[in-house]
Amino acid sequence: MAGYDYDLFVIGGGSGGVRAARVAAALGKRVGIAEEYRYGGTCVIRGCVPKKLYVYASQFPEHFADAAGYGWTVPEASFDWPTLVANKDREIARLEAIYEKNVKGAGGETFHSRAMLVDPHVVHLLGEDRTVTADQILIATGGRPASHPALPGHEHCIFSNEAFDLKKLPKAIMIEGGGYIAVEFANIFHGLGVDTTLVYRGKEILSRFDMDLRRTLHETMEKKGIKILCHAVSEWVRKRPDGRLDALVTGGKVLTVDQVMLALGRIPNTENMGLEGVGIELGQTGAIVVDQYSRTNIDNIWAIGDVTNRVQLTPVAIHEAMCFIETSFKGNPTAPDHDTIPTAVFSQPEIGTVGLAEDEAVKRFADIEIYRASFRSMRHTLSGRDEKMLMKLVVDGASKRVLGAHILGPDAGEMAQLLGIPLKAGLTKDDFDRTMAVHPTAAEELVTMYKPTYRVKDGQRID
């Protein structure tokens, strides 16, 4: 190791890469990290953080409306998009500085440069036109929105990256896609007063989530005024003389909007990095192939996060980074645990989920118990808002182990984080039943649903 410039060189300054660099440097390792754009990566710069800030901004119209039921008279409100963008930019800049500062504070060296592999131990820093050597190399370059070059007029469309920094708020937008990014942005733009249409080729939004959540969210979004077209795709997008866009969707309907946003999945950032020249194995989508410890087919080169296309979530990348440190520098081989990961969709209402959806559980277990409650939350009893919460537990009828927990409603993401603990621990429905409720809360439903709503035995529903 003494013959190299660094014990570890990290390519990519997102959440996973920065965590690995910082922790390795704190262990006394000689660490370098290169980021070609901005430290913080997708989550901090153009993903989770700005998205959540925009979610908060888009919720205020409903808060203002609900206040009347509680005796408040709220003057007519107005919204200024440039102010939101500017305030978001200031917060992102603050976080970016912290990310880089933390690496430097631990003793690591940061570079603002694109990095390419020359051989298994040599990295070329294009921004400085020099090479450095490293004993271990970690690739954490993340991913980006998938383009749709086959779509005529795709050059007129935007992606989630651009949506955060539009010069002005559109009056109307069409969003194509049905995953969490599409759904979240549909709710954001609608909440900010934009006429919003969601176009999705599938039969229901949010594939791989529990069907009860998917249907209920769909219905609620439409009640709010979001138009959802399933079994549909865009066939072309054309720019009009007035600068607006026409989009032809399945069935011959033409939508006239100010922006068309494509949210059709994400792809790994692996192009033009020298990976093929070094001999690193890539999958069909361009993702780096790794073993259970995040090691590539090259012994000293590793990869974590979205670039491996395992589970595209920021906490997963950070977890993989910590496992890499244990394996590579602490002599404690540790495989990332990708089972039973809590997650949230910051739609309106919000989704929080952990464990198996009902459809998936039925395929794996012969006897399934479903505990389900749908009700209006207490916060809406005076506001008069007709919006239901949904809580659902999926239980193995034989062992009584809780296999899945699914929530639609306010603070669902917060609840999912806490539910991740008992589900990860393998606790049973009896453990839930023995837990005292906190009253009055929505979450108390999770421990007061004593009898199954129905069962699914050998594939047959029994009410």
Side-chain angles (χ1 to χ4, degrees):
M1 290 171 55
Y4 298 108
D5 298 323
Y6 299 99
D7 301 319
L8 171 65
F9 197 91
V10 181
I11 303 176
S15 297
V18 165
R19 175 62 64 90
R22 179 173 63 81
V23 176
L27 292 174
K29 305 299 180 182
R30 296 167 300 156
V31 176
I33 180 171
E35 167 57 49
E36 69 171 324
Y37 181 50
R38 298 175 69 182
Y39 280 87
T42 296
C43 179
V44 172
I45 306 301
R46 51 191 176 272
C48 325
V49 172
K51 173 195 69 182
K52 191 70 179 290
L53 295 176
Y54 282 23
V55 168
Y56 288 143
S58 68
Q59 291 173 338
F60 279 99
E62 288 191 356
H63 294 334
F64 295 149
D66 291 348
Y70 288 89
W72 289 93
T73 300
V74 180
E76 183 177 354
S78 62
F79 172 70
D80 186 65
W81 171 258
T83 297
L84 173 62
V85 174
N87 289 343
K88 177 266 299 180
D89 287 343
R90 185 168 59 251
E91 173 62 9
I92 297 309
R94 183 185 74 85
L95 294 174
E96 178 189 5
I98 290 173
Y99 266 63
E100 186 172 8
K101 179 182 177 182
N102 285 346
V103 174
K104 291 180 177 179
E109 187 175 2
T110 62
F111 298 92
H112 291 266
S113 171
R114 183 173 179 81
M116 294 181 62
L117 291 175
V118 177
D119 75 26
H121 291 282
V122 180
V123 177
H124 182 218
L125 300 174
L126 277 70
E128 304 194 3
D129 193 24
R130 69 184 179 100
T131 59
V132 296
T133 61
D135 178 56
Q136 305 290 313
I137 294 174
L138 176 66
I139 302 171
T141 47
R144 66 184 187 278
S147 62
H148 191 359
L151 173 66
H154 65 89
E155 67 274 12
H156 304 309
C157 303
I158 64 170
F159 301 92
S160 58
N161 291 0
E162 293 82 15
F164 290 117
D165 298 297
L166 294 172
K167 296 300 182 183
K168 63 178 181 178
L169 189 67
K171 293 181 179 179
I173 190 169
M174 184 194 99
I175 301 175
E176 184 162 6
Y180 74 94
I181 294 175
V183 168
E184 288 173 338
F185 271 101
N187 282 274
I188 287 170
F189 280 114
H190 170 75
L192 296 178
V194 179
D195 181 4
T196 303
T197 303
L198 187 66
V199 176
Y200 179 48
R201 65 181 179 181
K203 67 178 182 179
E204 187 55 275
I205 59 174
L206 293 177
S207 63
R208 295 190 296 277
F209 283 80
D210 189 87
M211 185 57 79
D212 264 347
L213 297 182
R214 299 166 67 187
R215 289 177 180 146
T216 308
L217 178 61
H218 183 146
E219 293 169 2
T220 307
M221 288 172 62
E222 288 194 321
K223 284 181 180 178
K224 289 174 182 284
I226 299 171
K227 295 177 284 292
I228 301 177
L229 307 177
C230 289
H231 297 293
V233 297
S234 58
E235 298 183 7
W236 50 252
V237 177
R238 295 174 184 168
K239 196 161 191 176
R240 296 158 50 101
D242 61 3
R244 304 189 79 200
L245 301 174
D246 285 337
L248 174 66
V249 299
T250 303
K253 184 175 184 178
V254 176
L255 303 177
T256 301
V257 295
D258 300 289
Q259 296 287 352
V260 173
M261 175 179 158
L262 303 181
L264 303 171
R266 296 179 63 82
I267 57 176
N269 289 322
T270 53
E271 298 93 341
N272 304 315
M273 289 181 56
L275 303 186
E276 296 90 345
V278 173
I280 292 178
E281 182 182 357
L282 302 178
Q284 287 186 344
T285 63
I288 297 176
V289 177
V290 294
D291 67 10
Q292 61 178 326
Y293 299 107
S294 301
R295 192 192 300 266
T296 72
N297 59 307
I298 306 297
D299 190 58
N300 70 296
I301 301 179
W302 314 69
I304 60 171
D306 290 2
V307 77
T308 67
N309 198 28
R310 289 177 284 183
V311 180
Q312 297 185 28
L313 294 170
T314 297
V316 173
I318 293 171
H319 171 66
E320 290 169 356
M322 298 304 293
C323 292
F324 158 73
I325 294 293
E326 291 290 327
T327 302
S328 185
F329 293 116
K330 292 188 176 183
N332 178 32
T334 304
D337 183 357
H338 295 116
D339 186 46
T340 316
I341 298 173
T343 190
V345 179
F346 294 105
S347 50
Q348 299 174 41
E350 194 171 296
I351 282 177
T353 183
V354 57
L356 299 182
E358 179 182 341
D359 290 348
E360 189 176 1
V362 167
K363 295 175 184 176
R364 298 193 195 182
F365 297 85
D367 185 7
I368 292 294
E369 296 177 349
I370 300 297
Y371 297 78
R372 187 184 187 280
S374 179
F375 55 95
R376 187 167 66 166
S377 69
M378 189 174 182
R379 72 169 61 186
H380 292 321
T381 56
L382 296 188
S383 73
R385 185 173 297 279
D386 182 22
E387 187 171 303
K388 296 292 183 69
M389 285 197 74
L390 174 65
M391 298 212 173
K392 182 175 181 178
L393 296 177
V394 180
V395 177
D396 174 20
S399 68
K400 300 302 180 183
R401 183 164 66 93
V402 181
L403 304 173
H406 312 284
I407 304 167
L408 176 73
D411 303 317
E414 303 288 345
M415 293 186 225
Q417 177 65 86
L418 296 177
L419 283 165
I421 300 170
L423 265 70
K424 194 70 174 176
L427 297 189
T428 67
K429 184 62 170 61
D430 292 337
D431 295 315
F432 276 59
D433 293 344
R434 285 196 299 269
T435 302
M436 198 69 72
V438 178
H439 182 74
T441 66
E444 68 183 292
E445 292 288 335
L446 294 165
V447 297
T448 57
M449 295 186 288
Y450 298 118
K451 293 184 178 181
T453 307
Y454 59 90
R455 300 178 73 170
V456 182
K457 198 165 186 177
D458 297 323
Q460 299 297 315
R461 175 167 168 162
I462 303 171
D463 291 303

